[in-house]
Amino acid sequence: MGGEKLLAGALLLMTSSLPAAELSVESVERHPTVRRAAESFVREADWILQQQIRLTSIPAPPFREEERARYLEEQFHLLGLENVRRDAIGNVLGERPGRDAEHLVLLSAHMDTVFAAETEIEVRREGDRWVGPGIADNGAGLAALLALIRALDESGLRTGATLLFVANVGEEGEGDLRGMRALFAEPALRRRVRAAIALDGSNVERLTTKALGSKRFQVTVRGPGGHSWSDFGLPNPIQVLARAIARITAVALPAQPRSVVNIGEIHGGTSVNAIPYEAWMKVDIRSEMESENERLEQALRSALADAVAEENAWARTKGVPLTVEVKTIGHRPTGKLPAAARIIDVFRAVDTHLGIQTSIQRSSTDANIPISFGIEAVAVGGGGRSGASHSLREWYDPTGRELGLKRILLALALLAGVEE
Ligand SMILES: [Zn+2]
C-alpha cells in the first residue's frame, strides 16, 4: 500500500523508542520547506491576527454560519486551495493535493459561535489582549487554519497524503456537531481519512484524545390548563416537571466514570393565577461512558413516568390526560483513542521536541465524530492565550502563537509525510 511509504515518518515513531521519535521530528523540522512554512508564522503574525479579527467580526450564530462561510470560501480560493466547495450542510472544504490523492489528513475548525444573532460584536484591544465574543472560540482556531494554509502555500511544502481543510458548521451546543457528522456520514470520504485534527480555541498544551459523550433532551408536559381557583385540582404541567426534577436529581451519579445531569432551562405557564397548559425543560446528560448516558436517560424517562402518576394521584379531577413529549435535541458519541494511537505518539513527540507539556483532555469537540468511527483524531488549540470563553468578555492574546502553529505544522507533516 502507498500509505505505508507516505507515512514512513509516522511509522518510524510507532516502532521506535522516544529518542528516535524525537529524531524523526527533528528531521521533519529540518526539511527546508517545513522550515520556510514555520518562518511564515512569525513573518505573517499581523496578517494572521487581522484575519482573526475580521472573522470574529462576521457573526456566526448557531445555524447561521453562511456569511462567515462565504468569507472563508473566498480565502480558501485566494490561498491556492483546490476543489474549494461548500457542502449541503454549509461546511467549506478545500484541498491541497499530496502525492497520494487517495489518502487524506483532515484539518478543521468550527465556524459557529454560541452568541445569538443580535449580540453586538466589536473586537477591541486592551493592552496585549483582544477582546470580543468568539475571538478565541473559534477565532483562534479559524485563524490557525488560514495561517497553516498560507504557510504551506508560500513554502511549497509537498505532502504525501492530500490535505483536506474544512471550516465546519455546528460544533457548539444544539449544533450537535452536525457539520462533522455530515462530513463523516459520507462513506467514500470517511474511508480516505487517515487522521483528523480539529483546531479549537488557543491552548497550546491541550491534546483532546477522549470524546465526552452527551445526550440532550427537551421535555414538554401538556395538560388542559385552567383557572387557579375555579379549576383547582386539574393536573399541572409545572408540578409534573418539579416532581420529575426532584426524582432525577436524587439519582446517584458515579464519580467514575464521571457523569452529570443538568437541568439547563425551564419554562412554562402564562399567569400567576392560571394552571399552565404547558411546561418544558432542557436536560443535559453527560458521561465518560456511553452506557452511563443510557442509564441516566432511562432514569429521566422513569422519573417522568413516576411524576405523571404522582400528579394524577394528587389531582382532584381524575382522568384528565397529561402528555409528556421527550425530544432528543443532541446526542454526541462517547469514545477515546486507543493508548497506542499513532496520532498521540506524533503529538507527544512534537511536544517533547518543542518543550510543550502535553495535557491530555476529555472533552466534547468535533473530534468526537471521527473518534466514534475509529478514525484517529484529536482537538488542539491554535496557539496564543485566551480566557472567558463563551462570554462577552472573551479575550485572546497572540503572544507565542507561532509555537502553537509550529506544533500543528510538525504534527501535520509527520502524519501526512513530507515529499523530498
Ligand atoms: Zn470551540
Side-chain angles (χ1 to χ4, degrees):
M1 289 251 312
E4 278 168 28
K5 253 181 285 156
L6 72 94
L7 292 172
L11 284 174
L12 182 67
L13 286 181
M14 225 170 58
T15 54
S16 57
S17 59
L18 252 184
E22 214 190 323
L23 259 183
S24 165
V25 178
E26 277 167 3
S27 67
V28 164
E29 190 190 35
R30 271 200 307 268
H31 198 284
T33 56
V34 175
R35 220 170 34 217
R36 270 206 298 279
E39 283 161 9
S40 127
F41 300 142
V42 180
R43 194 177 58 243
E44 303 300 343
D46 191 55
W47 178 85
I48 299 168
L49 180 62
Q50 292 312 320
Q51 285 287 4
Q52 183 172 353
I53 293 167
R54 177 76 207 273
L55 279 160
T56 305
S57 309
I58 305 172
F63 300 95
R64 291 176 59 187
E65 299 97 338
E66 312 80 34
E67 200 186 335
R68 197 176 278 195
R70 265 198 301 278
Y71 179 77
L72 281 156
E73 190 176 4
E74 203 179 285
Q75 293 303 310
F76 278 17
H77 276 296
L78 289 172
L79 295 170
L81 292 186
E82 293 183 18
N83 201 8
V84 175
R85 60 207 187 268
R86 231 178 311 162
D87 68 12
I89 203 151
N91 297 319
V92 184
L93 289 78
E95 289 167 25
R96 185 174 163 77
R99 183 179 47 78
D100 175 346
E102 177 59 18
H103 295 132
L104 301 174
V105 173
L106 167 68
L107 201 65
S108 69
H110 72 84
M111 294 185 285
D112 57 313
T113 71
V114 296
F115 302 102
E118 59 272 19
T119 310
E120 198 178 323
I121 302 168
E122 191 217 343
V123 180
R124 61 185 194 282
R125 186 170 191 164
E126 287 182 9
D128 291 337
R129 293 179 175 185
W130 295 84
V131 182
I135 186 76
D137 184 9
N138 195 21
L142 290 167
L145 190 70
L146 293 182
L148 280 146
I149 298 170
R150 178 165 185 166
L152 292 166
D153 189 43
E154 288 181 350
S155 67
L157 193 155
R158 194 157 149 73
T159 49
T162 291
L163 303 181
L164 173 63
F165 297 92
V166 175
N168 60 281
V169 299
E171 192 269 348
E172 302 282 5
E174 290 178 32
D176 202 30
L177 310 181
R178 73 185 203 287
M180 274 292 135
R181 221 183 278 275
L183 195 70
F184 281 89
E186 289 285 340
L189 186 131
R190 192 166 71 222
R191 269 197 299 276
R192 296 168 62 201
V193 177
R194 286 298 121 111
I197 302 172
L199 305 173
D200 204 337
S202 66
N203 190 338
V204 74
E205 284 150 8
R206 164 180 176 213
L207 187 65
T208 303
T209 63
K210 300 170 189 170
L212 178 63
S214 64
K215 282 195 141 183
R216 291 162 178 177
F217 303 96
Q218 176 158 353
V219 177
T220 307
V221 182
R222 296 183 181 92
H227 192 280
S228 64
W229 173 256
S230 56
D231 295 319
F232 183 73
L234 282 173
N236 179 326
I238 288 181
Q239 288 177 194
V240 173
L241 288 187
R243 294 181 197 281
I245 292 168
R247 288 182 145 77
I248 188 75
T249 52
V251 171
L253 298 170
Q256 280 298 334
R258 184 171 137 84
S259 309
V260 304
V261 177
N262 182 58
I263 314 294
E265 280 184 69
I266 182 161
H267 296 258
T270 51
S271 165
V272 68
N273 59 348
I275 299 165
Y277 56 85
E278 184 181 283
W280 60 264
M281 64 175 174
K282 288 185 182 175
V283 185
D284 183 23
I285 292 175
R286 299 195 192 204
S287 176
E288 294 172 347
M289 202 183 279
E290 192 68 25
S291 60
E292 194 60 19
N293 278 337
E294 268 144 36
R295 181 184 77 91
L296 291 168
E297 179 186 346
Q298 282 319 310
L300 172 66
R301 288 180 187 278
S302 61
L304 286 163
D306 292 349
V308 168
E310 195 176 75
E311 181 69 9
N312 280 329
W314 169 88
R316 296 181 190 178
T317 320
K318 299 295 178 190
V320 177
L322 272 175
T323 63
V324 179
E325 182 196 357
V326 180
K327 190 171 140 208
T328 302
I329 54 172
H331 183 198
R332 298 173 176 225
T334 302
K336 67 175 182 195
L337 290 175
R342 195 177 62 234
I343 200 167
I344 301 180
D345 283 351
V346 165
F347 269 95
R348 279 196 185 281
V350 168
D351 288 354
T352 303
H353 179 73
L354 295 177
I356 296 169
Q357 190 87 41
T358 317
S359 153
I360 298 279
Q361 295 190 4
R362 180 189 296 275
S363 158
S364 181
T365 69
D366 278 327
N368 280 42
I369 300 298
I371 288 175
S372 73
F373 282 111
I375 296 167
E376 295 206 354
V378 294
V380 299
R385 295 184 321 120
S386 64
S389 176
H390 290 194
S391 83
L392 298 176
R393 295 278 314 144
E394 190 170 328
W395 61 268
Y396 177 80
D397 175 355
T399 310
R401 176 180 351 228
E402 62 280 359
L403 178 67
L405 293 175
K406 188 173 179 183
R407 178 194 193 213
I408 301 160
L409 171 70
L410 293 178
L412 195 63
L414 281 162
L415 289 166
V418 179
E419 294 291 292
E420 285 309 316

